[in-house]
Structure formats: C-alpha cells, structure tokens
Amino acid sequence: MKLRRVTAASAAVLALAVAATACGSDDKDDSSSSSSGGGNKKITIGIKFDQPGIGQKTPDGYAGFDVDVATYVAKKLGYSEDQITWKEAKSADRETMLQRGDVDFIAASYSINDERAAKVDFAGPYLLAHQDVLIRSDDNSIKSPEDLNSKKLCSVTGSTSAQNVKDKLAPKAQLQQYPTYSACLTGVQSGAIDALTTDDSILAGYASQASFKGKFKLGGFKMTNENYGIGVKKGSDLKAKINTALEAMVADKSWDKAVEANFGPAEYKNEPAPKIGNVVK
C-alpha cells in the first residue's frame, strides 16, 4: 500500500510538470510568430536578399525599397522593427512560402498577374515598374527599343525579359545570358554587352550602388507594366490591413522618401504611387 501511495503521488507531480511544460511551450509559440500584432510577438516577412535598391541583405542588416515598404506596413500592423523576422523569398518559391505559412506576407518585386493571383492574394499595388534597359551613361546610340537591333542584350539565365525584347521589338538583338545581374553590369561597363534588360526599378537599384554611380543610365522605354504587390495567403484578412497601411504610406509622403532614398542616385523617373486595386495592364 505504501508503495502504491508513493507511485500515485509521483504520478500527480509528473502530471503537473507536464502541464506546466505544455503551457510554457504554448507561450513560446505565441510569442514567436503572429499576424495580429502587439506584445512580444513576431511577424515574418519575405523579401529579396540579392537585389540592391529593392531588397538586399547587407552586413548592416536589410535595405531597399521593398524593405522600407514592408517595415512601414509592419509598424502599421503593430510590430516594431525588432519584431520583424526577414526571410529570403526567391522568385520561384514565393507562392509556396505563402501557402505553407512560412511567412506572413511577401514584398519582393512581386509582380501581380493572373497566374499568381489564382494561388495567393495581393495587397496593392504599391509600385508600377516597367521593363527597361540599362546602358552606359556615355552611350547615345540606343534611344529606342528598336535601336537594340544588332546590339548585345543581356539578362540573367532563365529570364524572359531579353526574349520579350527580341520577339516583340528588336528581332536582330543578340541575346546574352549571364548568371547574375551583377555579371551583366560588369559586361555593360566593359563594353562586352551593350544593354541589360529587366524591370526599371531593379535596374535603378543596381545603378544606384556607390560603385556604379554615374556609370549607367536607364533608357526610359517602359516596354511592359509590372505592378508590384504584397503577397499574402489566399483569403487572409491581412490584405485589407496592408492596403490601409499602403494608403497611409502614400498620404504621409513616406512612400516618396523611400523612392528617393533607394532609387534617387540613378535618376529613376518613377511613376506616381498607384491607387490600391488599380492594376495597370
């Protein structure tokens, strides 16, 4: 009987310990990630890590226009900057990251289109970009897309940007594929390449780097419309909250300041802030 009483008492103590541990575990989970804001909770945001001027991981932290937009939105949602966890959102992974709940939202030069909108929801758009070209600042031979005929045109491997130009505007362009935008820029700088093509916002970000300042210019051709949106999980109530935050960012001029800070050195002639829900085809 004595042994039985000791065993029962031990079981009771063990049960209390397990319950306490479970409660502690729940508290830890609640404080690590949430999309409701406040307290010690965290929010996880997907951005690019390798696009200067847009989203870039640096020795000092994270920088770029998308980072500034995301930070502003997070603050409006109730999160301070130190409550943000940044996660790399590569282009091919963005829809999957949202669907799995790896991130609360994504701001990563994420163009809104029908295929993507069937899988995730978009707040915004918050920037209207265009496909353009970047050329040497002293090159006056490329004044229109048609002038790219017989020119060496570069984009990254797997990109459709250069092919779009060849198919629609300059059929005699000589396509060159490099592994990175930085490699293309080096080619343009040396004269091995005549022009680099992708979104003008991305081009402006690269051209704004201190090492490239004054060496390049944008063509200003506006060959396509790229509506950058903030991706959220399908059906998420964050969409409406983020739209409200974006409207506030435009109204208090924080949007203009972010554009100037990230793209100004490249003399990027940006479009005015788009109206929420107005996707330009």
Side-chain angles (χ1 to χ4, degrees):
M1 291 296 293
K2 184 177 180 181
L3 179 60
R4 186 177 300 156
R5 284 196 299 272
V6 172
T7 303
S10 299
V13 171
L14 179 60
L16 288 172
V18 171
T21 302
C23 290
S25 177
D26 286 346
D27 290 343
K28 184 177 180 181
D29 288 343
D30 286 346
S31 66
S32 65
S33 180
S34 173
S35 57
S36 59
N40 294 320
K41 297 175 182 177
K42 301 285 186 180
I43 188 167
T44 303
I45 303 172
I47 58 170
K48 290 294 180 68
F49 278 15
D50 60 351
Q51 288 184 347
I54 300 290
Q56 185 180 27
K57 185 177 181 179
T58 75
D60 299 320
Y62 300 88
F65 181 70
D66 283 352
V67 176
D68 290 344
V69 170
T71 301
Y72 185 98
V73 167
K75 184 177 180 181
K76 288 295 184 181
L77 294 176
Y79 299 92
S80 60
E81 194 166 345
D82 60 3
Q83 290 176 310
I84 299 173
T85 298
W86 301 105
K87 183 168 286 190
E88 184 174 19
K90 296 180 179 179
S91 295
D93 300 334
R94 291 177 295 200
E95 287 84 42
T96 301
M97 291 176 70
L98 289 169
Q99 290 168 340
R100 285 193 314 224
D102 296 342
V103 292
D104 292 289
F105 67 79
I106 289 178
S109 55
Y110 203 0
S111 297
I112 301 170
N113 62 36
D114 292 341
E115 181 181 356
R116 292 169 179 165
K119 301 174 183 177
V120 301
D121 284 341
F122 284 99
Y126 63 91
L127 182 72
L128 177 59
H130 307 280
Q131 186 179 341
D132 200 355
V133 296
L134 195 70
I135 56 181
R136 291 182 297 280
S137 58
D138 60 354
D139 185 349
N140 296 314
S141 66
I142 302 175
K143 298 179 180 179
S144 71
E146 290 74 19
D147 291 334
L148 294 168
N149 279 305
S150 301
K151 299 286 188 178
K152 294 178 181 177
L153 181 65
C154 184
S155 195
V156 296
T157 303
S159 169
T160 60
S161 299
Q163 192 63 47
N164 286 341
V165 173
K166 184 174 178 63
D167 290 346
K168 300 175 183 178
L169 299 169
K172 295 181 181 179
Q174 301 173 35
L175 299 189
Q176 306 285 325
Q177 290 191 334
Y178 283 20
T180 65
Y181 290 119
S182 296
C184 282
L185 274 175
T186 301
V188 175
Q189 187 175 355
S190 69
I193 297 295
D194 296 304
L196 161 62
T197 185
T198 188
D199 296 356
D200 54 7
S201 56
I202 296 173
L203 296 174
Y206 274 97
S208 294
Q209 294 180 93
S211 59
F212 293 135
K213 189 174 181 179
K215 296 180 180 179
F216 303 105
K217 62 184 178 182
L218 278 75
F221 299 155
K222 299 183 179 181
M223 294 181 280
T224 64
N225 295 320
E226 306 295 338
N227 300 267
Y228 287 6
I230 293 180
V232 298
K233 191 173 184 178
K234 201 74 174 172
S236 172
D237 61 358
L238 273 181
K239 176 180 176 178
K241 296 176 182 178
I242 293 173
N243 279 335
T244 298
L246 292 174
E247 289 172 343
M249 188 177 188
V250 173
D252 69 14
K253 304 300 182 181
S254 295
W255 187 91
D256 298 285
K257 293 176 182 177
V259 169
E260 178 59 30
N262 292 290
F263 304 131
E267 299 182 2
Y268 174 47
K269 296 177 176 60
N270 63 282
E271 298 279 5
K275 292 183 178 180
I276 299 301
N278 183 27
V279 177
V280 180
K281 299 296 186 179

